[in-house]
């Protein structure tokens, strides 16, 4: 395995579990568009409790009638690639919260992945995102 490091930008999109885009879960549409855009990675995390602009608390606790739990979609890539993706989020997210923050990435991949992109190595031998 090879360790890869670099500066990146993380975008976290908070939406409701029941939010949809053309009859498809919104979080799924965001992940598929991030994949189609060639971004380095995206994951969806389902919250167990939370509230947003509506001020209604949604929870998984027993006896709760709430089913619209909070969902966080986290996407990480270089700053330029994430910022290029933001207009797609503007189209998709009509209600929700989008947070951008810089991060340092340490990523482990198989040797085949590193050989596929030799032009992305810096002088110290580390490959950037």
């Amino acid at each position: 395995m090879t360790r890869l490091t670099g500066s990146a930008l993380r975008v976290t999109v908070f939406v409701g579990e029941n939010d949809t885009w053309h009859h498809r879960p919104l979080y799924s549409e965001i992940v598929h568009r991030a994949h189609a855009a060639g971004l380095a990675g995206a994951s969806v995390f389902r919250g167990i409790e939370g509230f947003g602009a509506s001020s209604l608390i949604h929870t998984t606790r027993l006896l709760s009638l709430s089913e619209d739990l909070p969902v966080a979609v986290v996407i990480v890539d270089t700053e330029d690639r994430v910022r290029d993706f933001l207009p797609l989020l503007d189209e998709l997210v009509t209600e929700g919260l989008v947070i951008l923050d810089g991060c340092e990435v340490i990523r482990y991949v198989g040797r085949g992945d590193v050989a596929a992109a030799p032009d992305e190595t810096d002088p110290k031998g580390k490959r950037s995102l």
Side-chain angles (χ1 to χ4, degrees), residues 8-13 27 29-35 37-45 72-78 81-82 85-86 89 99-101 103:
L9 191 63
R10 175 177 49 203
V11 57
T12 305
V13 183
Y27 59 83
E29 184 67 21
I30 293 169
V31 168
H32 283 83
R33 287 198 186 194
H35 184 261
L39 296 178
S43 297
V44 178
F45 300 93
V73 182
V74 179
I75 301 167
V76 177
D77 206 318
T78 62
R81 293 174 64 101
V82 167
F85 185 70
L86 292 179
L89 286 179
I99 297 173
L100 296 173
D101 53 339
C103 58

Side-chain angles (χ1 to χ4, degrees), residues 8-92:
L9 191 63
R10 175 177 49 203
V11 57
T12 305
V13 183
F14 293 96
V15 295
E17 181 180 37
N18 291 339
D19 292 348
T20 60
W21 176 261
H22 296 258
H23 309 292
R24 179 181 192 168
L26 178 58
Y27 59 83
S28 181
E29 184 67 21
I30 293 169
V31 168
H32 283 83
R33 287 198 186 194
H35 184 261
L39 296 178
S43 297
V44 178
F45 300 93
R46 184 177 187 223
I48 58 172
E49 189 166 31
F51 71 93
S54 71
S55 293
L56 296 174
I57 294 179
H58 304 278
T59 180
T60 60
R61 284 182 285 162
L62 194 61
L63 303 177
S64 171
L65 299 177
S66 175
E67 295 177 0
D68 191 22
L69 295 168
V71 173
V73 182
V74 179
I75 301 167
V76 177
D77 206 318
T78 62
E79 182 171 355
D80 290 343
R81 293 174 64 101
V82 167
R83 291 199 182 276
D84 287 346
F85 185 70
L86 292 179
L88 292 174
L89 286 179
D90 288 341
E91 176 188 349
L92 295 173

